[in-house]
Amino acid sequence: MRTAQQILADSAVIAVVGASRDPLKAAHGVPLQMQQYGWRIIPVNPTVDELFGARAYRTLADIPHPVDLVDVFRPAADAVQVVRDAVAIGAPAVWLQLGIVSAEARRIAEEAGIDYVEDRCLIVERAAANLTRLT
């Protein structure tokens, strides 16, 4: 299993499940900041067509290209299905944001052999490792 910082360093495309259009929510600010540091953000939200200047998709299965990381801004109860969906699309890693913990989601990820992070924030880990994808 890769560390959280290794996952970020190796990822270029991040699908954000639960991305929000509300600029006051972490589910908006975190992906926007990651985008500003050079990651390609793919919003997954069934109620919007576009976020962060990118097309939004209703589900992970609707994304027509591979993703390197599935970032989750959904309640822990929803994380189980999101991890199943991430496994189904062949995502190599899943990241549950700060405050989201699920033993069942972790078990599914481990059984599928994909990297799994929970209860940690992308932008905190990015800053701690001074990571950027900007050239």
Side-chain angles (χ1 to χ4, degrees), residues 18-52:
S20 176
R21 62 181 158 210
D22 183 345
L24 300 178
K25 291 187 174 183
H28 181 91
V30 170
L32 184 60
Q33 187 176 126
M34 294 302 290
Q35 184 182 60
Q36 291 168 343
Y37 277 93
W39 278 266
R40 180 175 177 202
I41 300 299
I42 309 298
V44 179
N45 180 323
T47 67
V48 297
D49 294 326
E50 183 179 306
L51 277 172
F52 322 117

Side-chain angles (χ1 to χ4, degrees), residues 75-97:
D78 295 349
V80 172
Q81 187 59 50
V82 175
V83 172
R84 285 187 183 118
D85 294 345
V87 169
I89 67 164
V94 175
W95 188 301
L96 276 57
Q97 280 294 139

